[in-house]
Amino acid sequence: MATKSIRAEYIKGLWDENPVFRQLLGLCPTLAVTGTVITGIAMGLATAFVLILSSLVVASIKKLIPAQVRIASYIVVIASFVTIADQVLKAYFYPISEALGPYVPLIVVNCIILGRQEAFSSKNSVGRSFIDALGMSSGFILALLVLSSIREILGAGTFLGYEIMGSWFKPWIIMILPAGAFITLGILLGIALFIERKTKRSE
Amino acid sequence: MELVAIFISAVLIQNFVLYYFLGICPFLGVSKKIDSAVSMGLAVTFVMTITAVVSWLINNLILIPHDLGYLQIVSFILVIASLVQLVEMFIRKISPPLYQALGIYLPLITTNCAIMGLALIAALNEYSFVETVIFGFGSGIGFTLAIVLMAGIREQLDLADVPESLKGAGIALIVAGIMALAFNGFIGMLT
């Protein structure tokens, strides 16, 4: 793993180890906040902020943390950054903070973040951990963007609040409901696996 | 009457899995057999009820009187993590058969977003003490209901001819979507 180039370290988060489509991590926020594109992006950015900063801190202090209490230490680091993100959103972007509701504090239990600390930052250099966190965050934002675009366009006929489907379009209410989130993500996972199998076969 | 409404709403309408999307990981991971789904559900119900009590006490006796609301996230996650360990040790001493049944599921619950979500949502809704307990218990029952139903469907699904790419998580999510649609029908009950 140490021989991987910086580029490969970043790219793997986008597809090969995409947290949502390939590793099935962080599904709760993925499903919950993707009713509109704006909440999806806001959630993605907040998670990226927490993931990148936590990875930097954990990678810097990894030698100081005793192995027995490492998980608890990671959680404290993550929880501190989540608190910062939560307070900033409340202070400067109140409507978005309202729309995201309990899901901003819940970033603390997002398995992507704890998973990356345990699997990567605790074993790699600060620079590498930063690139890895950047890649994973991009993969997560990508997944949220795809899912929320599909749901907002089909469910409301809008994209980022702008009317794009024209007056003939009848919105599919189901896409806004929880059921739409489950079904869309299920189909997307199927498509991801399908592409993966096709490319594997042709190799 | 208010309490009955909170209970029914937590079980059927604002179901943790199908409405709040919390606890999806165990919902997909432990729902292959009905037996293990029942055990997981009971373990979650048990921990949820205790968490509801403890988080209410922390929030209303320590954080709110001292104006420490910004410490909510840190204190909840630490208390929940240590609470689950404590419960595990306690059950192992007091009731070995119960430990046998719930044992391996308890550590998994620490990282379960449903528990943290319960504490946060109960605090957000500003429930009274009794309401919080009912809400915690009802949410646990709702989770159990969803995961056991899911396990029942997935046992049948093993025999069905599912497209190769959708096997596993894909079809499970689509089934969950159809279940969410069915649960949607309960919304009319309380309005």
Coordinates of all heavy atoms in Angstrom, one line a residue, chain A residues 7-99:
Chain A
R7 N -1.7 10.1 -6.6 CA -2.9 10.1 -7.5 C -3.8 8.9 -7.2 O -5.0 9.1 -7.1 CB -2.4 10.1 -8.9 CG -3.3 10.7 -9.9 CD -2.6 10.6 -11.3 NE -3.5 9.8 -12.2 CZ -4.5 10.3 -12.8 NH1 -4.8 11.6 -12.7 NH2 -5.3 9.6 -13.6
A8 N -3.2 7.7 -7.2 CA -4.0 6.5 -7.0 C -4.7 6.6 -5.6 O -5.8 6.1 -5.4 CB -3.1 5.3 -7.0
E9 N -4.0 7.1 -4.6 CA -4.6 7.2 -3.3 C -5.8 8.1 -3.3 O -6.8 7.8 -2.6 CB -3.5 7.9 -2.4 CG -3.6 7.5 -0.9 CD -3.1 6.1 -0.6 OE1 -1.9 5.9 -0.4 OE2 -3.9 5.2 -0.6
Y10 N -5.8 9.1 -4.1 CA -7.0 10.0 -4.2 C -8.1 9.3 -5.0 O -9.2 9.3 -4.6 CB -6.6 11.3 -4.9 CG -7.8 12.3 -5.1 CD1 -8.4 12.9 -4.0 CD2 -8.3 12.4 -6.3 CE1 -9.5 13.7 -4.2 CE2 -9.4 13.2 -6.5 CZ -10.0 13.9 -5.5 OH -11.1 14.7 -5.6
I11 N -7.7 8.8 -6.2 CA -8.7 8.3 -7.1 C -9.5 7.1 -6.5 O -10.7 6.9 -6.8 CB -8.0 7.8 -8.4 CG1 -7.3 9.0 -9.2 CG2 -9.0 7.1 -9.4 CD1 -8.3 9.9 -9.8
K12 N -8.8 6.3 -5.7 CA -9.5 5.1 -5.2 C -10.8 5.4 -4.4 O -11.8 4.7 -4.5 CB -8.6 4.3 -4.3 CG -8.3 4.9 -2.9 CD -7.6 3.9 -2.0 CE -7.7 4.4 -0.6 NZ -6.6 5.1 0.0
G13 N -10.9 6.6 -3.8 CA -12.1 7.0 -3.1 C -13.2 7.3 -4.0 O -14.4 7.2 -3.6
L14 N -12.9 7.7 -5.2 CA -14.0 8.0 -6.2 C -14.8 6.8 -6.7 O -16.0 6.8 -6.8 CB -13.5 8.8 -7.4 CG -12.9 10.2 -7.1 CD1 -12.4 10.8 -8.3 CD2 -14.0 11.0 -6.4
W15 N -14.0 5.7 -6.9 CA -14.8 4.5 -7.5 C -14.4 3.2 -6.8 O -15.3 2.6 -6.1 CB -14.6 4.4 -9.0 CG -15.3 3.2 -9.5 CD1 -14.8 2.0 -9.9 CD2 -16.7 3.1 -9.7 NE1 -15.8 1.2 -10.3 CE2 -17.0 1.8 -10.1 CE3 -17.8 4.0 -9.5 CZ2 -18.3 1.4 -10.4 CZ3 -19.1 3.5 -9.7 CH2 -19.3 2.2 -10.2
D16 N -13.1 2.8 -6.9 CA -12.8 1.4 -6.3 C -13.2 1.2 -4.9 O -13.7 0.2 -4.5 CB -11.3 1.2 -6.4 CG -10.9 0.9 -7.9 OD1 -11.8 0.6 -8.6 OD2 -9.7 0.9 -8.2
E17 N -13.0 2.3 -4.1 CA -13.4 2.1 -2.7 C -14.4 3.2 -2.3 O -14.4 3.7 -1.2 CB -12.1 2.3 -1.8 CG -11.2 1.1 -2.0 CD -9.9 1.2 -1.0 OE1 -10.1 1.8 0.1 OE2 -8.9 0.7 -1.4
N18 N -15.2 3.6 -3.3 CA -16.2 4.6 -3.0 C -17.0 4.2 -1.7 O -17.6 3.1 -1.6 CB -17.2 4.8 -4.2 CG -18.2 5.9 -3.9 OD1 -19.0 5.8 -3.0 ND2 -18.1 6.9 -4.8
P19 N -17.1 5.1 -0.7 CA -17.7 4.7 0.6 C -19.1 4.3 0.4 O -19.5 3.3 1.1 CB -17.5 6.0 1.4 CG -17.1 7.1 0.5 CD -16.5 6.5 -0.7
V20 N -19.9 4.9 -0.4 CA -21.3 4.6 -0.5 C -21.5 3.4 -1.4 O -22.1 2.4 -1.0 CB -22.2 5.8 -0.9 CG1 -23.6 5.4 -1.1 CG2 -22.0 6.9 0.1
F21 N -21.1 3.5 -2.7 CA -21.5 2.5 -3.7 C -20.7 1.2 -3.5 O -21.2 0.1 -3.8 CB -21.2 3.0 -5.1 CG -22.2 4.2 -5.4 CD1 -21.7 5.3 -6.1 CD2 -23.5 4.1 -5.1 CE1 -22.6 6.3 -6.4 CE2 -24.4 5.1 -5.4 CZ -23.9 6.3 -6.0
R22 N -19.4 1.3 -3.0 CA -18.6 0.0 -3.0 C -18.5 -0.5 -1.6 O -18.5 -1.7 -1.3 CB -17.2 0.3 -3.5 CG -17.2 1.0 -4.8 CD -17.6 0.1 -6.0 NE -17.0 -1.2 -5.9 CZ -17.6 -2.3 -6.4 NH1 -18.8 -2.3 -6.9 NH2 -17.0 -3.4 -6.3
Q23 N -18.4 0.4 -0.5 CA -18.2 -0.1 0.8 C -19.5 -0.1 1.6 O -19.5 -0.6 2.8 CB -17.2 0.7 1.6 CG -15.8 0.8 0.9 CD -14.8 1.5 1.8 OE1 -14.6 1.0 2.9 NE2 -14.3 2.6 1.4
L24 N -20.6 0.5 1.1 CA -21.9 0.5 1.8 C -21.7 1.2 3.2 O -22.4 0.7 4.1 CB -22.5 -0.9 2.0 CG -22.7 -1.6 0.7 CD1 -23.4 -3.0 1.0 CD2 -23.6 -0.8 -0.3
L25 N -20.9 2.2 3.3 CA -20.8 2.9 4.6 C -21.5 4.3 4.5 O -21.6 4.8 3.4 CB -19.3 3.2 4.9 CG -18.4 2.0 5.2 CD1 -17.0 2.4 5.4 CD2 -18.9 1.2 6.4
G26 N -21.9 4.7 5.6 CA -22.6 6.0 5.7 C -23.9 6.1 4.9 O -24.2 7.1 4.3
L27 N -24.6 5.0 5.0 CA -25.9 4.9 4.2 C -27.0 5.8 4.9 O -27.8 6.3 4.2 CB -26.4 3.5 4.0 CG -25.5 2.6 3.2 CD1 -26.2 1.3 3.0 CD2 -25.3 3.2 1.8
C28 N -26.9 5.9 6.2 CA -28.0 6.6 6.9 C -28.1 8.1 6.4 O -29.1 8.5 5.9 CB -27.8 6.6 8.4 SG -27.6 5.0 9.1
P29 N -27.0 8.9 6.5 CA -27.1 10.2 6.0 C -27.3 10.3 4.5 O -28.1 11.1 4.0 CB -25.7 10.9 6.3 CG -24.8 9.8 6.5 CD -25.7 8.6 7.1
T30 N -26.8 9.3 3.7 CA -27.0 9.3 2.3 C -28.4 9.2 1.9 O -28.9 9.9 1.0 CB -26.3 8.1 1.7 OG1 -24.9 8.0 2.1 CG2 -26.3 8.1 0.2
L31 N -29.2 8.4 2.7 CA -30.6 8.3 2.4 C -31.4 9.5 2.9 O -32.3 9.9 2.3 CB -31.1 7.0 3.0 CG -30.7 5.7 2.4 CD1 -30.9 4.5 3.4 CD2 -31.4 5.4 1.1
A32 N -31.0 10.0 4.1 CA -31.8 10.9 4.8 C -31.8 12.3 4.2 O -32.8 13.0 4.2 CB -31.4 11.0 6.2
V33 N -30.6 12.8 3.7 CA -30.6 14.2 3.3 C -30.6 14.5 1.8 O -30.3 15.6 1.4 CB -29.3 14.9 3.9 CG1 -29.3 14.7 5.4 CG2 -28.0 14.3 3.3
T34 N -30.9 13.4 1.0 CA -30.8 13.6 -0.4 C -32.2 13.9 -1.1 O -32.3 13.7 -2.3 CB -30.2 12.4 -1.1 OG1 -30.9 11.2 -0.6 CG2 -28.8 12.2 -0.8
G35 N -33.1 14.5 -0.3 CA -34.4 14.9 -0.9 C -34.2 16.1 -1.9 O -34.9 16.2 -2.9
T36 N -33.3 17.0 -1.6 CA -32.9 18.1 -2.5 C -31.4 18.1 -2.6 O -30.7 17.7 -1.7 CB -33.4 19.4 -1.9 OG1 -32.9 19.6 -0.6 CG2 -35.0 19.5 -1.8
V37 N -31.0 18.7 -3.8 CA -29.6 18.8 -4.0 C -28.8 19.6 -3.0 O -27.7 19.3 -2.6 CB -29.3 19.3 -5.5 CG1 -27.8 19.4 -5.8 CG2 -30.0 18.4 -6.5
I38 N -29.5 20.7 -2.6 CA -28.7 21.6 -1.7 C -28.4 21.0 -0.4 O -27.3 21.1 0.2 CB -29.5 23.0 -1.6 CG1 -28.7 24.0 -0.9 CG2 -30.9 22.8 -0.9 CD1 -27.7 24.7 -1.7
T39 N -29.4 20.3 0.2 CA -29.1 19.6 1.5 C -28.1 18.5 1.3 O -27.2 18.3 2.2 CB -30.4 19.0 2.1 OG1 -31.1 18.2 1.1 CG2 -31.3 20.1 2.7
G40 N -28.2 17.8 0.1 CA -27.2 16.8 -0.1 C -25.8 17.3 -0.2 O -24.8 16.8 0.5
I41 N -25.6 18.4 -0.9 CA -24.2 19.0 -1.0 C -23.8 19.6 0.4 O -22.6 19.3 0.8 CB -24.2 20.2 -2.0 CG1 -24.5 19.6 -3.4 CG2 -22.9 21.0 -2.0 CD1 -24.6 20.7 -4.5
A42 N -24.7 20.2 1.1 CA -24.3 20.7 2.4 C -23.9 19.6 3.3 O -22.8 19.7 4.0 CB -25.5 21.4 3.1
M43 N -24.6 18.5 3.3 CA -24.2 17.3 4.1 C -22.8 16.8 3.7 O -22.0 16.5 4.5 CB -25.3 16.2 4.0 CG -25.0 15.1 4.9 SD -25.3 15.6 6.6 CE -24.8 14.2 7.4
G44 N -22.6 16.7 2.4 CA -21.4 16.2 1.9 C -20.2 17.1 2.3 O -19.2 16.6 2.8
L45 N -20.4 18.4 2.2 CA -19.3 19.3 2.6 C -19.0 19.3 4.1 O -17.9 19.3 4.5 CB -19.7 20.8 2.2 CG -19.7 21.0 0.7 CD1 -20.1 22.5 0.4 CD2 -18.3 20.7 0.1
A46 N -20.1 19.2 4.9 CA -19.9 19.1 6.4 C -19.2 17.8 6.7 O -18.2 17.8 7.5 CB -21.3 19.1 7.1
T47 N -19.5 16.7 6.1 CA -18.9 15.5 6.4 C -17.4 15.5 5.9 O -16.5 15.1 6.6 CB -19.6 14.3 5.6 OG1 -21.0 14.4 6.0 CG2 -19.0 13.0 6.1
A48 N -17.2 16.1 4.7 CA -15.8 16.3 4.2 C -14.9 17.1 5.2 O -13.8 16.7 5.5 CB -15.8 17.0 2.9
F49 N -15.5 18.2 5.7 CA -14.8 19.0 6.7 C -14.4 18.2 7.9 O -13.2 18.1 8.3 CB -15.7 20.1 7.1 CG -15.3 20.9 8.4 CD1 -14.3 21.9 8.3 CD2 -15.8 20.6 9.6 CE1 -13.9 22.6 9.4 CE2 -15.4 21.3 10.7 CZ -14.5 22.3 10.6
V50 N -15.3 17.4 8.5 CA -15.0 16.6 9.7 C -14.0 15.5 9.3 O -13.0 15.3 10.1 CB -16.3 16.0 10.2 CG1 -16.0 15.1 11.4 CG2 -17.3 17.1 10.7
L51 N -14.2 14.8 8.2 CA -13.3 13.7 7.9 C -11.9 14.2 7.6 O -11.0 13.6 8.1 CB -13.9 13.0 6.6 CG -13.1 11.9 6.0 CD1 -12.7 10.8 7.1 CD2 -13.8 11.2 4.9
I52 N -11.7 15.3 6.9 CA -10.4 15.7 6.5 C -9.6 16.2 7.8 O -8.5 15.8 8.0 CB -10.4 16.8 5.5 CG1 -10.9 16.2 4.1 CG2 -9.1 17.5 5.3 CD1 -11.2 17.3 3.1
L53 N -10.3 17.0 8.6 CA -9.6 17.5 9.8 C -9.4 16.4 10.8 O -8.3 16.4 11.4 CB -10.4 18.7 10.4 CG -10.4 20.0 9.5 CD1 -11.3 21.0 10.1 CD2 -8.9 20.5 9.4
S54 N -10.3 15.5 11.0 CA -10.1 14.4 11.9 C -8.9 13.5 11.5 O -8.1 13.1 12.3 CB -11.3 13.5 12.0 OG -12.5 14.3 12.3
S55 N -8.9 13.3 10.1 CA -7.7 12.5 9.6 C -6.4 13.1 9.9 O -5.4 12.5 10.3 CB -7.9 12.2 8.1 OG -9.0 11.3 7.9
L56 N -6.4 14.5 9.7 CA -5.1 15.2 9.9 C -4.7 15.1 11.4 O -3.6 14.8 11.7 CB -5.3 16.7 9.6 CG -5.3 17.0 8.1 CD1 -5.5 18.5 7.8 CD2 -3.9 16.6 7.5
V57 N -5.7 15.3 12.3 CA -5.3 15.3 13.7 C -4.9 13.9 14.1 O -3.9 13.7 14.8 CB -6.5 15.8 14.6 CG1 -6.3 15.5 16.0 CG2 -6.8 17.2 14.3
V58 N -5.7 12.9 13.7 CA -5.4 11.5 14.1 C -4.1 11.0 13.6 O -3.2 10.4 14.3 CB -6.5 10.5 13.7 CG1 -6.1 9.1 13.8 CG2 -7.8 10.8 14.5
A59 N -3.8 11.4 12.3 CA -2.5 11.0 11.8 C -1.3 11.7 12.5 O -0.3 11.1 12.6 CB -2.4 11.3 10.3
S60 N -1.6 12.9 13.0 CA -0.5 13.7 13.6 C -0.2 13.1 15.0 O 0.9 13.1 15.5 CB -0.8 15.1 13.8 OG -1.5 15.6 12.7
I61 N -1.3 12.7 15.7 CA -1.1 12.3 17.1 C -1.1 10.7 17.3 O -1.2 10.3 18.4 CB -2.1 12.9 18.1 CG1 -3.5 12.5 17.7 CG2 -2.0 14.4 18.1 CD1 -4.6 12.9 18.7
K62 N -1.1 10.0 16.2 CA -1.3 8.5 16.3 C -0.3 7.9 17.2 O -0.6 6.9 17.9 CB -1.2 7.9 14.9 CG 0.1 8.1 14.1 CD -0.1 7.3 12.8 CE 1.2 7.5 11.9 NZ 1.2 8.8 11.3
K63 N 1.0 8.4 17.4 CA 2.0 7.8 18.2 C 1.6 8.0 19.7 O 2.1 7.3 20.6 CB 3.3 8.3 17.9 CG 3.8 7.9 16.5 CD 5.3 7.6 16.5 CE 5.7 7.0 15.1 NZ 5.7 8.1 14.1
L64 N 0.9 9.1 20.0 CA 0.6 9.4 21.4 C -0.6 8.6 22.0 O -0.8 8.6 23.2 CB 0.3 10.9 21.5 CG 1.4 11.8 21.1 CD1 1.0 13.3 21.1 CD2 2.7 11.7 21.9
I65 N -1.4 8.0 21.1 CA -2.7 7.4 21.5 C -2.4 5.9 21.9 O -1.9 5.2 21.1 CB -3.7 7.4 20.4 CG1 -4.0 8.9 20.0 CG2 -5.0 6.7 20.9 CD1 -5.0 9.0 18.9
P66 N -2.6 5.5 23.2 CA -2.5 4.1 23.5 C -3.5 3.3 22.8 O -4.6 3.7 22.5 CB -2.8 4.1 25.0 CG -2.8 5.5 25.5 CD -3.1 6.3 24.3
A67 N -3.0 2.1 22.3 CA -3.9 1.2 21.5 C -5.2 0.9 22.1 O -6.2 0.8 21.4 CB -3.1 -0.1 21.1
Q68 N -5.2 0.7 23.5 CA -6.5 0.3 24.1 C -7.6 1.3 24.0 O -8.8 0.9 24.0 CB -6.3 0.0 25.6 CG -5.3 -1.2 25.9 CD -3.9 -0.6 26.0 OE1 -3.6 0.4 25.5 NE2 -3.0 -1.4 26.7
V69 N -7.3 2.6 24.0 CA -8.3 3.6 24.1 C -8.4 4.4 22.7 O -8.9 5.5 22.7 CB -8.1 4.6 25.2 CG1 -8.3 3.9 26.5 CG2 -6.8 5.3 25.1
R70 N -7.9 3.8 21.7 CA -7.8 4.5 20.4 C -9.2 4.9 19.9 O -9.4 6.0 19.4 CB -7.0 3.8 19.4 CG -7.5 2.5 18.9 CD -6.6 1.8 17.9 NE -7.4 0.7 17.2 CZ -7.7 -0.4 17.8 NH1 -7.3 -0.7 19.0 NH2 -8.3 -1.4 17.2
I71 N -10.1 3.9 19.9 CA -11.4 4.2 19.4 C -12.1 5.4 20.1 O -12.6 6.3 19.5 CB -12.4 3.0 19.5 CG1 -11.7 1.8 18.7 CG2 -13.7 3.3 18.9 CD1 -11.8 1.8 17.2
A72 N -12.0 5.3 21.4 CA -12.6 6.4 22.2 C -11.9 7.8 21.9 O -12.6 8.8 21.7 CB -12.4 6.2 23.7
S73 N -10.6 7.7 21.7 CA -9.9 9.0 21.3 C -10.3 9.5 20.0 O -10.5 10.7 19.8 CB -8.4 8.7 21.3 OG -8.0 7.9 22.3
Y74 N -10.4 8.6 19.0 CA -10.9 9.0 17.7 C -12.3 9.7 17.8 O -12.5 10.7 17.2 CB -11.0 7.8 16.7 CG -9.8 7.0 16.4 CD1 -9.9 5.7 16.0 CD2 -8.5 7.6 16.7 CE1 -8.7 5.0 15.7 CE2 -7.4 6.8 16.5 CZ -7.5 5.5 16.0 OH -6.3 4.8 15.8
I75 N -13.1 9.1 18.6 CA -14.5 9.6 18.7 C -14.5 11.0 19.3 O -15.2 11.9 18.8 CB -15.4 8.6 19.6 CG1 -15.7 7.4 18.8 CG2 -16.7 9.3 19.9 CD1 -16.5 6.3 19.5
V76 N -13.6 11.2 20.3 CA -13.5 12.6 20.9 C -13.1 13.6 19.8 O -13.6 14.7 19.7 CB -12.6 12.6 22.1 CG1 -12.4 14.0 22.6 CG2 -13.1 11.7 23.2
V77 N -12.1 13.2 19.0 CA -11.6 14.1 18.0 C -12.7 14.4 17.0 O -13.0 15.6 16.6 CB -10.4 13.5 17.2 CG1 -10.0 14.3 16.0 CG2 -9.2 13.3 18.2
I78 N -13.4 13.3 16.5 CA -14.4 13.5 15.5 C -15.6 14.4 16.1 O -16.0 15.3 15.5 CB -15.0 12.1 15.1 CG1 -13.9 11.3 14.4 CG2 -16.2 12.3 14.2 CD1 -14.2 9.9 14.2
A79 N -15.9 14.1 17.4 CA -17.1 14.8 18.0 C -16.7 16.3 18.1 O -17.6 17.1 17.9 CB -17.4 14.2 19.3
S80 N -15.5 16.6 18.4 CA -15.1 18.0 18.5 C -15.3 18.7 17.1 O -15.9 19.8 17.1 CB -13.6 18.2 18.9 OG -13.3 17.3 19.9
F81 N -14.9 18.1 16.0 CA -15.0 18.8 14.7 C -16.5 18.8 14.3 O -16.9 19.8 13.7 CB -14.2 18.0 13.7 CG -12.7 18.4 13.8 CD1 -11.8 17.4 14.1 CD2 -12.3 19.7 13.7 CE1 -10.5 17.7 14.2 CE2 -10.9 20.0 13.8 CZ -10.0 19.0 14.1
V82 N -17.3 17.8 14.7 CA -18.7 17.8 14.4 C -19.4 19.0 15.1 O -20.2 19.7 14.5 CB -19.4 16.5 14.8 CG1 -20.9 16.6 14.6 CG2 -18.9 15.4 13.9
T83 N -19.0 19.2 16.4 CA -19.5 20.3 17.1 C -19.2 21.6 16.4 O -20.1 22.5 16.3 CB -19.0 20.3 18.5 OG1 -19.1 19.1 19.1 CG2 -19.6 21.4 19.4
I84 N -18.0 21.8 15.9 CA -17.6 23.0 15.2 C -18.5 23.2 14.0 O -19.1 24.2 13.7 CB -16.1 23.0 14.8 CG1 -15.2 23.0 16.0 CG2 -15.8 24.2 13.9 CD1 -13.8 22.8 15.8
A85 N -18.6 22.1 13.2 CA -19.4 22.2 12.0 C -20.9 22.5 12.3 O -21.5 23.4 11.6 CB -19.4 20.8 11.2
D86 N -21.4 21.9 13.3 CA -22.8 22.2 13.7 C -23.0 23.6 14.1 O -23.9 24.3 13.7 CB -23.1 21.2 14.9 CG -24.6 21.3 15.3 OD1 -25.4 21.4 14.4 OD2 -24.9 21.2 16.5
Q87 N -22.1 24.2 14.9 CA -22.2 25.5 15.4 C -22.1 26.5 14.2 O -22.8 27.5 14.2 CB -21.1 25.9 16.5 CG -21.2 25.0 17.7 CD -22.4 25.4 18.6 OE1 -22.8 26.5 18.6 NE2 -22.9 24.4 19.3
V88 N -21.1 26.2 13.3 CA -20.9 27.1 12.2 C -22.2 27.2 11.3 O -22.7 28.2 10.9 CB -19.7 26.7 11.3 CG1 -19.6 27.4 10.0 CG2 -18.4 27.0 12.1
L89 N -22.7 25.9 11.0 CA -23.9 25.9 10.2 C -25.1 26.6 10.9 O -25.8 27.4 10.2 CB -24.4 24.4 10.0 CG -23.7 23.7 8.9 CD1 -24.1 22.2 8.9 CD2 -23.9 24.3 7.5
K90 N -25.2 26.5 12.2 CA -26.3 27.2 12.9 C -26.1 28.7 12.9 O -27.1 29.4 12.8 CB -26.3 26.7 14.4 CG -27.2 25.5 14.6 CD -27.4 25.3 16.1 CE -28.0 24.0 16.4 NZ -27.3 23.2 17.4
A91 N -24.8 29.1 12.9 CA -24.6 30.6 13.0 C -24.7 31.2 11.6 O -25.3 32.3 11.5 CB -23.2 30.8 13.5
Y92 N -24.2 30.6 10.5 CA -24.2 31.3 9.3 C -25.2 30.8 8.2 O -25.5 31.4 7.3 CB -22.7 31.2 8.7 CG -21.7 32.0 9.6 CD1 -20.9 31.3 10.4 CD2 -21.7 33.3 9.6 CE1 -20.0 31.9 11.2 CE2 -20.8 34.0 10.4 CZ -19.9 33.3 11.2 OH -19.1 34.0 12.0
F93 N -25.6 29.5 8.4 CA -26.5 28.9 7.4 C -27.7 28.3 8.1 O -27.9 27.1 8.0 CB -25.8 27.9 6.5 CG -24.5 28.3 5.9 CD1 -23.3 28.1 6.5 CD2 -24.6 29.0 4.7 CE1 -22.1 28.6 5.9 CE2 -23.4 29.5 4.1 CZ -22.2 29.3 4.7
Y94 N -28.4 29.1 8.8 CA -29.5 28.6 9.7 C -30.5 27.8 8.9 O -30.9 26.7 9.4 CB -30.1 29.7 10.5 CG -31.0 29.2 11.6 CD1 -30.5 28.5 12.6 CD2 -32.4 29.3 11.5 CE1 -31.2 28.0 13.6 CE2 -33.2 28.7 12.5 CZ -32.6 28.1 13.5 OH -33.4 27.5 14.5
P95 N -31.0 28.3 7.7 CA -32.1 27.4 7.0 C -31.6 26.0 6.7 O -32.3 25.1 6.8 CB -32.3 28.2 5.8 CG -31.9 29.6 6.0 CD -30.8 29.5 7.0
I96 N -30.3 25.9 6.3 CA -29.8 24.6 5.9 C -29.6 23.8 7.2 O -30.0 22.6 7.2 CB -28.4 24.8 5.2 CG1 -28.6 25.4 3.8 CG2 -27.7 23.4 5.1 CD1 -27.4 25.5 3.0
S97 N -29.1 24.4 8.2 CA -29.0 23.7 9.5 C -30.4 23.1 10.0 O -30.5 22.0 10.4 CB -28.4 24.6 10.5 OG -28.6 24.1 11.8
E98 N -31.4 24.0 9.8 CA -32.8 23.5 10.1 C -33.2 22.3 9.3 O -33.8 21.3 9.8 CB -33.8 24.6 9.9 CG -33.9 25.6 11.0 CD -34.6 25.1 12.2 OE1 -35.8 25.1 12.3 OE2 -33.9 24.6 13.2
A99 N -32.9 22.4 7.9 CA -33.3 21.4 7.0 C -32.6 20.0 7.3 O -33.2 19.0 7.2 CB -33.1 21.8 5.6

